Amino acid sequence: MSIQSTHSAGQMEDDSNIREIRSMKRNAVLVDGVVLNGPIIDSSSGEKFVEDVYRILMNELVYKASDVNQKVCEWQEPDQLKKLLDLNIKDNGEPHEKLLQLCQNVIKYSVKTSHPRFFNQLYAGMDHYSLAARFITEALNPSVYTYEVSPVFILTEEAILMKMIEFIGWKEGDGIFSPGGSVSNMYAVNLARYKCCPDIKQKGLSSAPRLVMFTSEECHYSMKKAAAFLGIGTENVYFVKTDDRGKMIPEELENQIQRAKKEGAVPFLVSATSGTTVLGAFDPLDNIANICEKHKLWFHVDASWGGSALMSRKYRKCLHGIHRADSVAWNPHKMLMAGIQCCALLVKDNSGLLKRCHSAEATYLFQQDKFYDVQYDTGDKSVQCSRRADAFKFWMMWKALGTTGLEERINRALALTRYLASEIKKRDGFELLWEPEYANTCFWYIPPSFRNMEKGPEYWKNFSKVAPTIKERMMKKGSMMVGYQPHRDKVNFFRHIVISPQVSREDMDFVLDEIERLGRDL
């Protein structure tokens, strides 16, 4: 009985489809040589493709994310990789199986940043809740500028901004998520300039005095780019000397401000750094804030890397004084693993400064006579029009783990960093260059052939090749990824970063063992 019923239902569905097709043919309209009679897309084949790709993602990325037996990367030279990926675009579409193979190849030859032995950048690991949130936003394809088209994501962004403001220590504030910490820093420079010289928005740079901004010589390069993009000029970025730990020296900041004033320039912004890129250093915020208050300067803190320490009761002291800042850049996609990109600019001012500075009042988006509260149309605060729902993945992750869970991640990552530093100090052939303040561990590996050599110019010339050679070998082997760079008077050294909760103490031991294996013959 059930079989006959199912068959009857199927027959009825087929008959309905046939009638629909016939109706479409009868009602077809010809416009500019195109027959308009129903959708052109075959949804069934697209749905099947999504289902198959999802299985590949689960099998090749999610399930294998914490498997140290997998390679971090499958290195190929660019010319060979071009051939393997079949990058050419053709007139006709590729078949289903070919597309799935392309997806497999993309995964195979990409760097596995979620691998427990990826220590190369200031982001790593996989948070499953954030990943699921990204699946949702990718499928919904929202643009976060008005409440009418993005109600859920407007509200989740507001909620997460208010929570981040609370952790900074402000009673109120404003903010916006941006496409990167570099853009957040650029926002801050623009806000500071607008506060100093509001006429620039309408009249342009011709109406402005010579403006000077101050930041440390260890700052992120985006500060220099911001000056270039905004027409301030890179020569008007005064770099302040740092101590041997990479922290801005307040007395040197005072000297630079006095220098600018004597030159007839107008100081308008100081940018401190909480978590420098190479050393992971934190500038003395309280002392810098005192100087900013004295000279009435906008105080910005680039906490893109180090801001997440605010969530740890043990390590938030690294950012002591951040509540005195006028603006803060904070990237949850770094230490908190919210997934690239997830970056917020937070502003202490709650009077609408952010909107006044950036708004263009487009009447086709930001009509003032809408049927709901237009304060929720937040897009005019941004220099972007289309804007991704980046806050949602952080909101979902925070909801899943709670503040306690995020704090545990930070504390564990920094404990592993301390463990690695202690092991480096115990091992022959390894030299720790600075005690880590955050999750950055900087060290040399010195091969046996270098250990008894006189340290003259020829030594340093040859020794500078050690880290790049070991890096090449680890990449081609696919065993792990650790970054290197020269810095100040130090030739190339390794900079190791711990973030992911999937990293173990054994992985720390593996890093040192592997570097020694790969470099002992140099």
Side-chain angles (χ1 to χ4, degrees):
M1 184 67 182
S2 60
I3 295 174
Q4 289 176 347
S5 298
T6 303
H7 175 74
S8 299
Q11 184 64 49
M12 289 173 64
E13 186 176 342
D14 290 343
D15 292 344
S16 175
N17 290 338
I18 291 169
R19 285 195 299 271
E20 185 178 348
I21 292 168
R22 286 174 179 168
S23 174
M24 287 167 58
K25 287 181 177 179
R26 282 197 305 271
N27 299 326
V29 176
L30 187 68
V31 178
D32 293 337
V34 179
V35 178
L36 304 180
N37 62 337
I40 191 174
I41 294 175
D42 179 6
S43 295
S44 60
S45 62
E47 290 163 1
K48 177 69 165 60
F49 181 69
V50 171
E51 288 175 4
D52 290 346
V53 170
Y54 177 75
R55 278 191 287 270
I56 292 172
L57 290 174
M58 293 302 296
N59 292 331
E60 297 301 320
L61 290 176
V62 177
Y63 296 147
K64 294 180 180 179
S66 59
D67 186 355
V68 294
N69 296 313
Q70 300 292 319
K71 286 187 174 184
V72 177
C73 61
E74 187 77 47
W75 176 258
Q76 298 290 336
E77 293 294 336
D79 287 342
Q80 179 62 20
L81 187 55
K82 288 176 184 179
K83 294 175 184 176
L84 290 167
L85 293 177
D86 184 20
L87 296 172
N88 293 328
I89 304 297
K90 301 167 185 174
D91 290 338
N92 296 317
E94 302 280 9
H96 184 87
E97 293 304 320
K98 176 69 179 295
L99 293 174
L100 290 180
Q101 185 57 54
L102 286 172
C103 292
Q104 292 272 18
N105 288 344
V106 166
I107 293 170
K108 179 178 181 180
Y109 297 113
S110 291
V111 174
K112 311 304 185 296
T113 62
S114 58
H115 194 288
R117 291 173 182 171
F118 177 81
F119 307 110
N120 207 69
Q121 312 296 149
L122 303 185
Y123 66 90
M126 176 186 292
D127 178 82
H128 299 96
Y129 303 102
S130 168
L131 180 62
R134 281 180 275 167
F135 288 161
I136 292 171
T137 53
E138 288 300 315
L140 287 170
N141 195 32
S143 183
V144 188
Y145 37 53
T146 63
Y147 184 82
E148 67 179 283
V149 297
S150 196
V152 172
F153 302 117
I154 289 281
L155 295 180
T156 51
E157 180 175 68
E158 179 188 55
I160 218 74
L161 286 169
M162 290 303 102
K163 197 68 178 174
M164 295 172 81
I165 284 168
E166 177 187 321
F167 272 83
I168 290 172
W170 299 334
K171 292 181 180 178
E172 59 180 11
D174 200 358
I176 197 84
F177 272 73
S178 73
S182 294
V183 176
S184 294
N185 288 335
M186 196 176 298
Y187 272 130
V189 175
N190 201 38
L191 280 170
R193 183 176 68 176
Y194 179 78
K195 186 75 180 291
C196 177
C197 304
D199 288 347
I200 287 179
K201 182 178 178 180
Q202 283 78 32
K203 297 179 180 178
L205 295 174
S206 60
S207 67
R210 180 188 161 216
L211 298 172
V212 173
M213 54 190 277
F214 307 86
T215 189
S216 91
E217 58 188 8
E218 295 282 339
C219 75
H220 191 261
Y221 64 82
S222 59
M223 299 309 300
K224 195 172 182 179
K225 284 194 173 186
F229 271 78
L230 294 171
I232 293 165
T234 57
E235 290 183 359
N236 293 316
V237 181
Y238 284 18
F239 294 100
V240 181
K241 290 181 181 178
T242 58
D243 62 20
D244 58 0
R245 292 300 311 272
K247 299 171 181 288
M248 184 190 290
I249 301 171
E251 294 77 14
E252 292 293 335
L253 171 62
E254 178 67 37
N255 292 340
Q256 290 282 42
I257 293 170
Q258 296 295 348
R259 169 196 161 195
K261 287 184 173 181
K262 286 177 183 176
E263 293 170 349
V266 177
F268 76 105
L269 164 81
V270 174
S271 177
T273 309
S274 289
T276 60
T277 305
V278 177
L279 305 184
F282 289 76
D283 287 340
L285 302 183
D286 248 343
N287 293 337
I288 295 169
N290 290 338
I291 294 171
C292 289
E293 287 179 3
K294 173 184 173 183
H295 295 280
K296 296 181 171 56
L297 304 179
W298 185 280
F299 180 28
H300 174 63
V301 178
D302 177 8
S304 297
W305 173 221
S308 297
L310 287 169
M311 304 194 74
S312 167
R313 284 165 291 185
K314 184 174 183 180
Y315 292 103
R316 64 176 294 115
K317 61 187 178 185
C318 295
L319 297 103
H320 181 71
I322 196 169
H323 65 284
R324 300 176 67 186
D326 294 295
S327 57
V328 175
W330 178 358
N331 291 4
H333 77 230
K334 293 182 184 292
M335 178 59 83
L336 293 177
M337 297 169 53
I340 292 175
Q341 56 201 14
C342 189
C343 314
L345 174 76
L346 304 150
V347 184
K348 182 184 285 185
D349 180 279
N350 197 32
S351 70
L353 177 69
L354 190 58
K355 184 175 181 179
R356 293 196 302 276
C357 180
H358 297 127
S359 65
E361 299 176 342
T363 55
Y364 61 88
L365 273 180
F366 305 112
Q367 304 93 329
Q368 296 303 295
D369 56 357
K370 291 181 179 180
F371 65 92
Y372 59 86
D373 185 352
V374 294
Q375 290 185 77
Y376 288 100
D377 288 355
T378 57
D380 225 8
K381 297 178 186 179
S382 170
V383 296
Q384 299 169 256
C385 181
S386 300
R387 197 164 61 89
R388 295 172 63 89
D390 291 328
F392 179 66
K393 54 198 168 190
F394 186 31
W395 177 84
M396 180 66 78
M397 183 179 73
W398 203 337
K399 289 284 282 185
L401 300 174
T403 303
T404 302
L406 295 177
E407 180 182 28
E408 286 173 356
R409 284 186 176 182
I410 295 161
N411 290 346
R412 187 173 186 280
L414 298 186
L416 282 168
T417 300
R418 306 299 182 266
Y419 172 79
L420 179 65
S422 68
E423 289 300 302
I424 287 170
K425 288 186 282 189
K426 294 176 187 176
R427 294 203 183 202
D428 291 339
F430 287 85
E431 183 177 340
L432 184 69
L433 299 181
W434 295 274
E435 285 290 341
E437 186 174 8
Y438 196 43
N440 309 46
T441 307
C442 301
F443 63 96
W444 277 322
Y445 169 66
I446 306 162
S449 65
F450 284 83
R451 292 175 194 173
N452 297 315
M453 290 176 62
E454 183 179 346
K455 294 181 179 179
E458 192 65 21
Y459 171 92
W460 292 114
K461 178 184 175 182
N462 292 326
F463 183 66
S464 69
K465 300 173 185 176
V466 170
T469 302
I470 293 173
K471 178 62 178 286
E472 178 185 355
R473 290 177 178 181
M474 74 172 71
M475 290 283 290
K476 290 181 175 177
K477 185 179 177 183
S479 57
M480 64 179 185
M481 284 181 66
V482 181
Y484 75 87
Q485 67 283 299
H487 189 69
R488 294 191 183 179
D489 61 337
K490 302 283 194 299
V491 301
N492 285 321
F493 56 85
F494 290 108
R495 183 204 64 173
H496 181 281
I497 304 293
V498 182
I499 295 174
S500 173
Q502 293 163 334
V503 175
S504 67
R505 178 186 58 78
E506 290 78 9
D507 292 321
M508 300 294 94
D509 296 333
F510 176 85
V511 167
L512 302 183
D513 293 340
E514 183 73 349
I515 286 174
E516 191 165 17
R517 276 192 294 269
L518 295 172
R520 64 164 63 107
D521 65 326
L522 297 176

